[in-house]
Amino acid sequence: MKDYLVKAMTNDGLIRAYAASTTHLVEEARSRQDTWATASAALGRTLTIASIMGTMNKGEAEVTVKIEGGGPLGAIVADANTQGHVRGYVKNPHVDFDLNSKGKLDVSRAVGMSGNLQVIKDLGLRDYFTGEVPIVSGEIGEDFTYYYATSEQIPSAVGAGVLVNPDHSILAAGGFIVQVMPGADDATINRLEEQLKFFPAISTLIQEGKTPEEILYRLFGEKEISIHETLPVEYRCKCSKERIANAITGLGNEEIQAMIDEDKGAEATCHFCNEVYHFTEEELEALKN
Ligand code: ZN
């Protein structure tokens, strides 16, 4: 199954829902950054949720999410646009722990529970929205649920899951965001909470071959919800040699001369995709002001 997401609304107009299958994009991130299993799960959950959040905006808007929980992973950063392009990295990719007491990858231990989740929306024309909440569980889905409830005041349920093969490649990944619209009564919210309580892990559903549509049908009932958009999602970085060159120019002539004299060139690696860019002495010379 290709990676894609669907946007849907219940027919009574009270709940909007997004679901995504992201196995391939999480595998792309894993192979580029050589993340170990627990790190793959943490990064994969974050990338999945960010990819959905990116498509909730319009036009040129971009969303950046940063999770700093104080755990061994260090910061997790992801950004996404409205086209379904997402990229991200984790500061320390070589983190892996034994499964937790529920038999799952111990994401909260890797993320930590003593920091913050930050969301920055660049809505274009210098219009920024920033929200920040403390980490409440370190399991990432619950942290985004808390973020929506407190920072955006939208009652939501956010879930994301990643299953890892014994060889560390990604077996299955996916996620959902479900949001209650203004005007929904307590009964609607309570019913949703009940349905989610007994809902299987989304990574398991993806592994069984369930599509994002089928996952929402299972949650709400096929006759109760309508899919109104389907969009491919993929890992795509926006780095380029030109962007790195601009950054080098920004360091100033003195710094560039030091690279030429001491290193006979420069090498820069993109944090997000691990692409390596080389600059010769001549290229560096040309970047001076
Ligand atoms: Zn890159």
Side-chain angles (χ1 to χ4, degrees):
M1 179 166 51
K2 283 192 164 178
D3 288 349
Y4 70 98
L5 70 78
V6 295
K7 303 182 183 183
M9 176 82 82
T10 54
N11 296 335
D12 57 14
L14 295 178
I15 295 173
R16 65 175 174 190
Y18 306 78
S21 67
T22 56
T23 308
H24 301 285
L25 76 84
V26 174
E27 170 60 19
E28 172 94 19
R30 183 207 65 83
S31 65
R32 282 185 175 275
Q33 301 180 15
D34 190 32
T35 47
W36 293 359
T38 314
S40 299
L43 178 60
R45 289 181 191 181
T46 308
L47 287 169
T48 298
I49 295 166
S51 71
I52 297 173
M53 291 175 79
T55 66
M56 290 161 84
N57 299 307
K58 292 198 169 66
E60 304 293 304
E62 288 191 347
V63 173
T64 301
V65 304
K66 280 186 201 163
I67 297 171
E68 283 188 277
L73 286 178
I76 309 171
V77 180
D79 63 37
N81 65 16
T82 58
Q83 333 266 298
H85 302 159
V86 64
R87 61 177 191 164
Y89 66 89
V90 53
K91 180 100 193 312
N92 302 312
H94 292 171
V95 174
D96 194 18
F97 293 119
D98 290 340
L99 301 181
N100 65 21
S101 57
K102 292 176 185 160
K104 295 191 166 178
L105 291 163
D106 201 348
V107 171
S108 68
R109 185 174 169 197
V111 170
M113 286 185 60
S114 60
N116 294 302
L117 161 63
Q118 193 183 42
V119 174
I120 303 152
K121 296 184 192 178
D122 176 357
L123 301 167
L125 302 170
R126 300 190 180 198
D127 182 9
Y128 288 94
F129 166 89
T130 305
E132 191 173 294
V133 294
I135 299 283
V136 290
S137 87
E139 291 289 338
I140 298 176
E142 288 162 29
D143 298 297
F144 278 96
T145 299
Y146 183 73
Y147 160 79
Y148 274 115
T150 54
S151 188
E152 298 201 22
Q153 271 115 45
I154 305 171
S156 307
V158 183
V162 176
L163 294 176
V164 177
N165 285 312
D167 71 357
H168 282 189
S169 64
I170 304 301
L171 172 61
F176 63 83
I177 298 179
V178 172
Q179 299 193 313
V180 176
M181 306 299 284
D185 53 8
D186 286 346
T188 304
I189 297 175
N190 292 341
R191 199 166 59 237
L192 178 61
E193 282 175 352
E194 278 305 303
Q195 284 160 318
L196 284 166
K197 212 182 276 178
F198 300 104
F199 204 64
I202 188 159
S203 52
T204 306
L205 294 173
I206 300 275
Q207 187 209 346
E208 289 169 356
K210 300 282 187 299
T211 64
E213 290 91 333
E214 286 168 338
I215 288 164
L216 293 184
Y217 292 156
R218 177 156 175 173
L219 187 55
F220 294 100
E222 189 166 351
K223 293 200 175 71
E224 310 297 323
I225 192 161
S226 302
I227 309 290
H228 55 79
E229 200 181 330
T230 301
L231 192 73
V233 284
E234 63 174 302
Y235 193 95
R236 191 187 284 192
C237 196
K238 54 193 174 189
C239 68
S240 64
K241 189 157 184 181
E242 195 184 347
R243 276 175 183 252
I244 306 276
N246 286 338
I248 292 175
T249 300
L251 296 174
N253 288 353
E254 213 169 301
E255 195 73 23
I256 296 174
Q257 191 58 50
M259 291 176 184
I260 294 169
D261 294 340
E262 291 160 27
D263 304 324
K264 313 289 176 212
E267 198 177 88
T269 305
C270 175
H271 283 311
F272 285 93
C273 65
N274 259 348
E275 193 77 39
V276 181
Y277 293 94
H278 298 276
F279 291 85
T280 62
E281 289 174 70
E282 292 73 30
E283 285 173 320
L284 287 175
E285 197 64 52
L287 293 178
K288 287 187 187 168
N289 291 305

